Amino acid sequence: MAAALVLMNTYPLWVSEDLVFRAKATSLQNSVSVMVYSLSGLDRLNQENVAQAMAVVEETGLSRILVTDSAGKVLYDTRETNDALGEYSFYTEIVQALLGNDMASSSYRDGAFRSRAASPVLYQNQIIGAVYAYEYDAEQAALLEGLQSNLLRLSAGLGVAALCLSGLLSRALTRKIGQLLTAIRKVREGAYSHRAQVRGHDEIAQLAEEFNSLTDRLQTTENARRRFVSDASHELKTPLAAIRLLTDSILQTENIDPETTREFVADIGAEAERLSRITEDLLRLTRLDSGVMEPPAVVDVLPVLEQVMRMMSLVAQEKGTELTYRSEGTCTVLASRDEIHQIIYNLTDNAVKYSPPGSTVQVSLLHRGDLVVLTVEDNGPGIPEEDLPRLFERFYRVDKARSRDAGGTGLGLAIVSDTVRKRGGTVEAGNRPEGGAVFTVRWPWQKGGTQP
Ligand code: ADP
């Protein structure tokens, strides 16, 4: 803005001044030429013939006209007071004119344009004298000065307006940024519930909104983390407390019979096994959270399913559960073999675990359009509708005691859900109309045989 104002105050004036200079010099030169013309024809110049010739020249409104002879002696001077008649004039212009050059110049000084022009007077190619004209113009200079002062006033007004406006704008801006900074500092110090209060619809308000939604997510993540840590410690505490109780009982009971000792030690072993299952699952979840995954490959799900079925059939047989499976189409997905194994194992293990003896568990693997769909159905007790939305949360169990008795950690479905989602798939739980639970996993189908 300052640069624009400086330019506005200098450039037009500079251009107009230059134009006036040139116009003045040219017009004065023309006037001098007219005067030289009126003197042409005279073989030599003297006061009389010059005065006669100059008398017919129109009143030009010039401040001063001088006519000199070839030696520079003034023969004619229009200045009324203190004229220079008879004296020698050595104005630069006159000297130059007597040397045969036309001279014209204009300058501005002390609120007036001062223009000077001089030309030689020739007779038969001989310089017989010179005509010099001088113009003093304060009127046009005043006009230009008026323009200059108007421009100055306008610039001052514009400058003040720009200053006020930028002051107001920057104050509003710094206030908003200050509010946002305060909010950022508070959240950084741990006050996750604090939100930035910035009004308006500008970029800073949008930034504040983004910051608030980021803080929302941070708060949700932080809450989940706290809940997870407290749930995990609680889960680890229970078997540890049991182990402690059992060892205390062995140590404090005098003359304990070997049978009871064996029973207690077996219980300690079972609790230790549970501890290791929980820590294994926790580690698996931590790995999933960290985002470090095995590089994906095109995996045919069917051989993995067959392997899990072979493993599970023994457990199912023991419980009297009928375990069947079927498959349709080429079911290839982009994942790792271990992940697929874990997903099928967890879902089938749950179905067998939570169904009463004599139930049937059916697993089907189908290629449907651009999806590979795995369903694990049982005809057990199913899952209460109100528990369905939270079923995939970490440590969430419908029946805590039953899950513990069955050796569950409450992390199996959370692992399934995280693993499936990491590979772009989905998993959902529901109940069959005829009774029993049904879990459906959908992966994007990957054309077989090609490595990504
Ligand atoms: P857990 O280690 O307790 O089995 P999961 O995360 O695998 O943990 O499952 C969470 C809860 O979901 C279980 O505790 C159980 O109450 C319920 N559940 C899972 N699968 C079934 C099923 N097939 N039938 C009935 N309830 C189920």
Side-chain angles (χ1 to χ4, degrees):
M1 187 76 187
L5 289 181
V6 167
L7 206 70
M8 187 174 123
N9 273 282
T10 50
Y11 185 69
L13 284 171
W14 177 67
V15 170
S16 49
E17 226 174 54
D18 193 51
L19 278 176
V20 172
F21 282 161
R22 258 188 283 158
K24 287 215 165 290
T26 318
S27 94
L28 202 63
Q29 184 73 64
N30 287 343
S31 305
V32 168
S33 300
V34 171
M35 288 180 251
V36 168
Y37 181 72
S38 68
L39 294 170
S40 65
L42 301 174
D43 55 352
R44 48 182 282 279
L45 300 179
N46 56 40
Q47 284 193 15
E48 289 74 37
N49 63 10
V50 169
Q52 256 175 16
M54 293 307 285
V56 292
V57 175
E58 256 178 57
E59 179 54 58
T60 48
L62 297 175
S63 309
R64 193 178 187 188
I65 300 168
L66 280 176
V67 179
T68 69
D69 65 8
S70 57
K73 194 163 118 192
V74 177
L75 303 172
Y76 178 82
D77 188 353
T78 54
R79 193 163 72 185
E80 276 159 18
T81 50
N82 201 9
D83 65 31
L85 274 182
E87 288 169 21
Y88 285 91
S89 170
F90 295 107
Y91 286 143
T92 325
E93 288 80 8
I94 291 177
V95 174
Q96 283 297 324
L98 289 177
L99 289 172
N101 303 318
D102 285 328
M103 288 293 293
S105 68
S106 189
S107 64
Y108 175 82
R109 190 160 48 83
D110 302 335
F113 285 108
R114 293 152 204 264
S115 316
R116 292 172 183 85
S119 286
V121 182
L122 301 173
Y123 180 74
Q124 288 181 348
N125 283 337
Q126 288 291 313
I127 297 168
I128 54 163
V131 175
Y132 166 86
Y134 170 71
E135 190 196 36
Y136 175 89
D137 184 356
E139 227 172 85
Q140 221 162 356
L143 218 82
L144 219 65
E145 262 176 10
L147 177 72
Q148 190 174 17
S149 63
N150 276 347
L151 275 177
L152 251 171
R153 268 199 291 274
L154 192 72
S155 318
L158 276 174
V160 170
L163 264 177
C164 293
L165 209 71
S166 61
L168 282 174
L169 272 176
S170 70
R171 256 187 56 190
L173 212 67
T174 44
R175 204 187 58 232
K176 282 183 179 183
I177 293 177
Q179 285 171 340
L180 193 57
L181 267 177
T182 315
I184 290 174
R185 259 183 227 124
K186 285 198 171 155
V187 172
R188 193 192 59 200
E189 279 155 17
Y192 295 115
S193 56
H194 187 82
R195 296 289 176 271
Q197 307 287 342
V198 175
R199 272 177 291 162
H201 301 284
D202 56 8
E203 278 77 4
I204 302 211
Q206 283 173 21
L207 202 67
E209 241 169 67
E210 287 294 323
F211 168 75
N212 285 345
S213 61
L214 194 75
T215 317
D216 280 344
R217 283 190 57 187
L218 201 66
Q219 194 176 18
T220 316
T221 317
E222 178 62 13
N223 288 345
R225 190 188 66 82
R226 283 196 186 141
R227 203 173 54 235
F228 180 62
V229 170
S230 102
D231 286 351
S233 6
H234 181 76
E235 290 296 325
L236 294 171
K237 234 165 66 185
T238 321
L240 279 173
I243 291 172
R244 191 112 187 254
L245 196 78
L246 289 162
T247 48
D248 282 355
S249 307
I250 297 170
L251 291 173
Q252 282 160 18
T253 316
E254 278 178 33
N255 304 326
I256 188 165
D257 62 283
E259 189 56 34
T260 318
T261 314
R262 197 168 296 118
E263 247 175 57
F264 280 9
V265 172
D267 286 348
I268 290 171
E271 291 300 334
E273 206 185 299
R274 208 153 85 84
L275 267 178
S276 82
R277 264 201 313 274
I278 295 174
T279 42
E280 237 171 66
D281 280 357
L282 281 174
L283 276 175
R284 196 163 282 131
L285 276 171
T286 316
R287 265 202 303 275
L288 281 167
D289 283 346
S290 72
V292 183
M293 292 194 295
E294 268 184 63
V298 180
V299 178
D300 187 355
V301 185
L302 184 60
V304 189
L305 172 67
E306 284 168 343
Q307 190 190 6
V308 178
M309 289 302 114
R310 272 195 300 278
M311 249 171 78
M312 286 305 299
S313 61
L314 297 171
V315 187
Q317 233 173 34
E318 212 171 276
K319 209 178 160 188
T321 304
E322 190 192 339
L323 179 63
T324 58
Y325 73 94
R326 70 188 181 95
S327 152
E328 251 180 60
T330 43
C331 300
T332 39
V333 299
L334 207 56
S336 85
R337 216 185 139 83
D338 278 355
E339 289 167 11
I340 306 282
H341 188 281
Q342 186 75 49
I343 293 162
I344 305 177
Y345 176 83
N346 284 10
L347 294 178
T348 323
D349 182 49
N350 277 352
V352 174
K353 218 161 52 177
Y354 297 111
S355 315
S359 320
T360 51
V361 172
Q362 288 175 309
V363 183
S364 64
L365 179 67
L366 314 167
H367 173 197
R368 286 277 175 273
D370 51 1
L371 290 175
V372 169
V373 186
L374 172 87
T375 47
V376 180
E377 299 172 80
D378 60 58
N379 57 359
I383 298 145
E385 288 297 318
E386 65 271 20
D387 291 306
L388 282 174
R390 299 192 59 195
L391 206 64
F392 293 97
E393 284 179 19
R394 297 168 182 197
F395 296 115
Y396 190 81
R397 292 149 163 140
V398 176
D399 184 341
K400 253 194 163 114
R402 204 155 158 225
S403 157
R404 284 228 174 85
D405 290 347
T409 60
L411 295 170
L413 288 181
I415 292 173
V416 169
S417 154
D418 284 9
T419 316
V420 170
R421 275 194 292 123
K422 287 261 148 114
R423 299 296 185 192
T426 59
V427 58
E428 64 183 52
N431 288 305
R432 297 165 69 215
E434 57 272 44
V438 54
F439 286 84
T440 315
V441 179
R442 292 182 181 87
W443 286 281
W445 178 74
Q446 176 71 35
K447 201 166 178 272
T450 47
Q451 202 70 18

